[in-house]
């Protein structure tokens, strides 16, 4: 795994805690024992998923599907098919807020690459027309996937870390680990309780402050905590915050009145997709989605209001008021 992302970080090497690069971000896994095999297996599982799902690696299924858009169906692995089926199911249920076909718009805005230029309305319109989940043809008999039109492309950025976190947990549990904290670039899975047999404390990022400044803490065990926010990757121009979560309907960075959404749930895949979708949907529709999927959430609005769903009231603690 390429560990360039850690170049400027002070890394402590500990047997039961590892920091590593992958899925385009910095990850950390902490376990309650020095079971290096379990740790190695969990980390290589994440690397394996990156090789399968990254839109940047030429050998990945997603890269090959994107390259063949408008040309021909691409043979893919069973696991990719399963994940794509699930992602399409979610794209269909989330009322146009979440779409794994969003890549033409992600490419246009290039916010991840530090671009600060705003595309023209015409460019946005053209890219938006390419984003259509019904143009993705999944053929399970032949195990192929086809994007109907040239220029269309998949982007699992809104779901891959969640899925990988679920998988890392599964691998650790398979090796007998009962206590772990998996953090894949902010997608957190808390397995069991911590070494002091207490609930894990998960800091919730203040979206108006630099990374690492929290406004609250969640006390949790055996669940996932996933945040989507406009503070991750963004630039501000003429008072507007241009960030990396796109509203597929407008083709522009979502302006839903929210700064961040944190989801607490069982499945990290669902939580990852939901956090992105709820961020795009805004407070009211996002709250409805939380009820529908029976998950808990914390919303931070542009007016700095914090809304915590009922199920989290006893688990949420304010800090730095
Ligand atoms: P992060 O990756 O920062 O944790 P998210 O889980 O919200 O945040 O995912 C954002 C990423 O998902 C973007 O970088 C992009 O690759 C992709 N994406 C952006 N907008 C959408 C959307 N509306 N639906 C699905 N994926 C999206
Ligand atoms: Mg997400």
């Amino acid at each position: 795994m390429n560990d360039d992302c850690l170049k400027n970080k002070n890394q402590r090497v500990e047997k039961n805690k590892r920091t590593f690069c992958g899925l385009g971000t910095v990850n950390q896994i902490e376990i309650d024992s020095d079971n290096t095999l379990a740790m190695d297996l969990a980390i290589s599982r994440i690397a394996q998923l990156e090789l399968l799902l990254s839109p940047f690696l030429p050998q990945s299924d997603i890269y090959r599907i994107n390259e063949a858009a408008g040309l021909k169906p691409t043979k893919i692995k069973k696991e990719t098919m399963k994940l794509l089926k699930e992602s399409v199911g979610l794209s269909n249920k989330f009322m146009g807020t979440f779409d794994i076909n969003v890549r033409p718009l992600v490419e246009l805005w290039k916010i991840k690459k530090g671009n600060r230029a705003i595309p023209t309305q015409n460019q946005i319109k053209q890219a938006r027309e390419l984003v259509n989940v019904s143009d993705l043809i999944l053929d399970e008999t032949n195990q192929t996937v086809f994007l109907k039109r040239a220029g269309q492309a998949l982007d699992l950025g809104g779901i891959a870390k969640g899925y990988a976190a679920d998988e890392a947990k599964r691998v650790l549990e398979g090796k007998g680990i009962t206590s772990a904290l998996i953090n894949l670039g902010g997608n957190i899975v808390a397995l069991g309780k911590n070494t002091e047999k207490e609930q894990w404390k998960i800091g919730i990022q203040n979206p108006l402050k630099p990374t690492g400044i929290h406004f609250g803490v969640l006390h949790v065990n055996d669940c996932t905590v996933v945040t989507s926010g406009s503070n991750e990757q963004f630039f501000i121009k003429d008072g507007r915050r241009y960030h990396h979560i796109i509203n597929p309907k407008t083709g522009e960075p979502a302006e839903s009145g929210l700064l961040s959404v944190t989801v607490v749930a069982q499945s990290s895949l669902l939580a990852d997709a939901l956090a992105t979708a709820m961020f795009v949907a805004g407070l009211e529709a996002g709250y409805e989605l939380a009820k529908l999927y029976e998950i808990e959430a914390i919303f931070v609005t542009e007016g700095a209001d914090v809304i915590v769903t009922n199920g989290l009231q006893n688990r949420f603690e304010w800090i730095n008021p």
Side-chain angles (χ1 to χ4, degrees), residues 197-247:
K197 304 279 176 260
E198 287 165 356
Q199 288 193 302
W200 295 99
K201 293 189 191 98
I202 315 289
I204 307 300
Q205 173 68 35
N206 181 333
L208 293 167
K209 296 273 167 69
T211 304
I213 309 283
H214 302 143
F215 68 85
V217 169
L218 277 172
H219 298 262
V220 294
N221 59 279
D222 297 299
C223 66
T224 184
V225 180
V226 178
T227 300
S228 275
S230 60
N231 54 304
E232 286 293 321
Q233 297 164 35
F234 72 98
F235 66 90
I236 292 174
K237 203 166 187 171
D238 300 329
R240 176 167 168 193
R241 198 186 263 243
Y242 292 89
H243 55 82
H244 74 313
I245 304 176
I246 309 286
N247 181 343

Side-chain angles (χ1 to χ4, degrees), residues 98 156-162 187 226-228 245 268-277:
F98 182 86
L156 298 187
I159 202 167
K161 280 182 283 172
N187 263 250
V226 178
T227 300
S228 275
I245 304 176
S268 201
L269 178 149
L270 177 67
D272 194 2
L274 263 178
T276 307

Side-chain angles (χ1 to χ4, degrees), residues 82-269:
K82 197 168 150 252
L83 187 62
L84 288 180
K85 259 181 80 180
E86 207 157 337
S87 306
V88 169
L90 294 175
S91 292
N92 286 331
K93 281 186 212 144
F94 291 168
M95 305 170 302
T97 55
F98 182 86
D99 196 326
I100 56 163
N101 297 274
V102 74
R103 186 142 196 87
L105 287 165
V106 171
E107 277 286 301
L108 181 66
W109 286 91
K110 291 192 191 81
I111 286 172
K112 274 194 175 167
K113 294 182 188 152
N115 181 42
R116 296 174 67 88
I118 296 168
T120 64
Q121 282 306 313
N122 205 24
Q123 287 174 312
I124 293 171
K125 188 167 168 275
Q126 280 176 7
R128 205 182 57 206
E129 280 166 1
L130 290 170
V131 180
N132 187 346
V133 71
S134 55
D135 284 341
L136 174 65
I137 312 299
L138 305 179
D139 178 346
E140 285 187 84
T141 317
N142 295 308
Q143 203 59 31
T144 61
V145 172
F146 182 43
L147 282 165
K148 279 192 193 163
R149 289 186 281 150
Q152 292 189 312
L154 300 176
D155 183 331
L156 298 187
I159 202 167
K161 280 182 283 172
Y163 176 59
D166 285 332
E167 281 300 296
K169 179 183 111 172
R170 198 177 57 76
V171 168
L172 292 177
E173 282 186 308
K175 289 286 152 210
I177 303 293
T178 54
S179 161
L181 194 67
I182 301 161
N183 181 349
L184 307 187
N187 263 250
I188 292 167
V189 167
L191 171 63
K193 295 190 172 170
N194 66 19
T195 36
E196 277 85 52
K197 304 279 176 260
E198 287 165 356
Q199 288 193 302
W200 295 99
K201 293 189 191 98
I202 315 289
I204 307 300
Q205 173 68 35
N206 181 333
L208 293 167
K209 296 273 167 69
T211 304
I213 309 283
H214 302 143
F215 68 85
V217 169
L218 277 172
H219 298 262
V220 294
N221 59 279
D222 297 299
C223 66
T224 184
V225 180
V226 178
T227 300
S228 275
S230 60
N231 54 304
E232 286 293 321
Q233 297 164 35
F234 72 98
F235 66 90
I236 292 174
K237 203 166 187 171
D238 300 329
R240 176 167 168 193
R241 198 186 263 243
Y242 292 89
H243 55 82
H244 74 313
I245 304 176
I246 309 286
N247 181 343
K249 285 185 194 148
T250 62
E252 300 191 13
E255 285 188 294
S256 65
L258 293 175
L259 289 177
S260 73
V261 177
T262 299
V263 170
V264 181
Q266 286 303 307
S267 155
S268 201
L269 178 149

